[in-house]
Amino acid sequence: MFYSKERLANWLERINSEEIDIETGKGIDVFDRMLEDYIIACRNLMRSIKAREITKKEAIALINESEKVLEKSFDFGDELKGELFEITKEQMKIVLEALKLVIEGKVSKKSFDKLLNEAFKKEHEGDIEGAFESVVKIAAKVLAGEEFPEDIEIPDEDLIVVGWLDAVDAINTINVLSEIDKSEIEDDVE
């Protein structure tokens, strides 16, 4: 199983037991860790395909199965937790859709700038679905190993796209950390 109900249930338990304070930022990192765990699961699935442990077709079947896990609603009895969970779930969906594009070999050749401008333009026009798809394309490029530029222009506006970019940032971070881990392992071997 790629991302099981049990794996999500683990995170739900952690969120439930976490005390969250938005003012101090206390406990909020549980949502970041949940997203990172999901990205790692996606990367592991990609690695399994590369190592020929599973076929692309089998991987897509696993992904489709896991989508059901993310479609469920959960009640934490806490409005803030519920809100943060929904935001994180949305970011997980971006990663999931990006993973599909990578597996299907449909990673966009457009530049990050172009895709980002498309996403903002679509959001301004009220095409939220189109904006989502543009962010997914950005996420797919990063998941496939391209580095998201640090100096990219992001408007200082309260836009949905800006929030979605946290998913892209999280993928980028995991990529960088795994490269550091890899080089440390290689150093140990030498």
Side-chain angles (χ1 to χ4, degrees), residues 1-180:
M1 185 68 181
F2 152 60
Y3 198 84
S4 62
K5 285 179 196 158
E6 293 73 30
R7 194 164 180 171
L8 184 62
N10 246 343
W11 286 107
L12 297 176
E13 228 171 88
R14 288 185 199 181
I15 292 165
N16 263 326
S17 63
E18 197 71 58
E19 261 185 63
I20 291 177
D21 184 343
I22 206 92
E23 296 297 314
T24 62
K26 183 182 185 288
I28 290 174
D29 65 328
V30 71
F31 296 99
D32 293 335
R33 291 197 316 270
M34 179 176 145
L35 177 61
E36 286 164 6
D37 179 57
Y38 193 71
I39 293 164
I40 290 165
C42 291
R43 284 175 52 98
N44 287 341
L45 190 65
M46 286 166 58
R47 204 173 297 120
S48 295
I49 295 167
K50 204 173 179 181
R52 298 185 188 279
E53 293 163 2
I54 62 169
T55 65
K56 287 182 181 183
K57 195 176 175 184
E58 289 167 334
I60 294 292
L62 289 172
I63 289 167
N64 292 339
E65 190 62 35
S66 82
E67 262 180 307
K68 295 170 193 156
V69 174
L70 292 185
E71 280 165 10
K72 291 191 171 70
S73 291
F74 302 94
D75 183 14
F76 297 97
D78 179 318
E79 203 177 315
L80 179 61
K81 281 183 183 179
E83 240 172 76
L84 292 170
F85 179 74
E86 284 307 314
I87 289 167
T88 307
K89 212 164 71 163
E90 191 103 322
Q91 292 172 345
M92 289 165 80
K93 284 179 184 172
I94 286 169
V95 178
L96 183 73
E97 292 304 316
L99 177 64
K100 286 183 195 174
L101 290 180
V102 173
I103 290 172
E104 291 164 0
K106 294 180 181 171
V107 178
S108 178
K109 300 270 189 278
K110 288 183 185 175
S111 71
F112 284 117
D113 273 322
K114 204 166 191 173
L115 288 169
L116 197 56
N117 288 334
E118 272 179 22
F120 288 127
K121 186 172 182 277
K122 285 174 182 171
E123 182 174 350
H124 281 297
E125 290 168 353
D127 180 8
I128 302 303
E129 205 173 298
F132 182 86
E133 284 168 17
S134 293
V135 173
V136 165
K137 288 176 185 174
I138 293 169
K141 285 171 78 72
V142 179
L143 199 56
E146 287 187 51
E147 197 171 332
F148 190 66
E150 282 180 33
D151 59 352
I152 204 157
E153 281 286 315
I154 295 171
D156 192 19
E157 292 177 68
D158 189 19
L159 296 168
I160 298 169
V161 167
V162 175
W164 286 338
L165 287 174
D166 285 347
V168 174
D169 198 40
I171 298 168
N172 212 31
T173 302
I174 297 286
N175 286 354
V176 169
L177 290 175
S178 70
E179 280 307 308
I180 292 168

